[in-house]
Amino acid sequence: MHHRRIDGLMSRRVVSVHRDTPFKDVVRALYESRVAAVPVVDDSEHVLGVVSEADLLRKTTDRAEPAGLPAVLDPEAWERAKAEGVRAEELMSAPAVCARPGWTFVEAAWCDSRVTPPRASVGPR
């Protein structure tokens, strides 16, 4: 069976955010780049973690609805900490799981499935 390789599926234009990037700027980076997640990097451009749309949604799931209804979830401590985060470093899932361009999509998905929540990005060859 032939499986597609990551290098045939990945975006060549990588958008990342610095660990100190404010929440609203992370949202802007996702929206403007039309991606569902961005790597979070340090001053040396090393990947520290990944901020995904799911990470950002945690900021809303622990709040009561405007109509006074209870919160959607009863978050665990780590989820509450993320929901209170204001910088990329506080919002991200870590460590990042890096797939290699030569891997098949199946290999990358298997690797990513071994962490919770999934958070793969593609690293150098």
Side-chain angles (χ1 to χ4, degrees), residues 23 53-66 69-76 78-84:
F23 169 81
E53 291 171 334
D55 293 322
L56 300 178
L57 286 173
R58 285 193 178 89
K59 291 187 77 60
T60 61
T61 58
D62 70 335
R63 295 192 173 95
E65 296 290 326
L69 298 173
V72 176
L73 300 173
D74 183 21
E76 295 182 25
W78 67 270
E79 291 173 307
R80 277 193 301 279
K82 272 192 179 194
E84 295 166 2

Side-chain angles (χ1 to χ4, degrees), residues 25-45:
D25 291 340
V26 173
V27 172
R28 186 175 296 111
L30 290 170
Y31 176 76
E32 290 176 355
S33 304
R34 296 183 174 170
V35 294
V38 290
V40 178
V41 298
D42 63 15
D43 294 333
S44 300
E45 296 293 313

Side-chain angles (χ1 to χ4, degrees), residues 4 7 18-19 24 26 50-51 53 63 68 71 76 83 99 118:
R4 294 184 70 182
D7 54 5
H18 188 267
R19 68 183 343 151
K24 288 184 179 181
V26 173
V50 176
V51 176
E53 291 171 334
R63 295 192 173 95
E76 295 182 25

Side-chain angles (χ1 to χ4, degrees), residues 1 9 13 15-18 22 34 38 43 68 76-77 84-86 91 93 95-96 98 110 114 124:
M1 175 180 281
L9 301 169
R13 192 179 134 248
V15 175
S16 63
V17 296
H18 188 267
R34 296 183 174 170
V38 290
D43 294 333
E76 295 182 25
E84 295 166 2
V86 294
L91 300 163
S93 296
C98 292
W110 179 85
R114 297 179 55 90

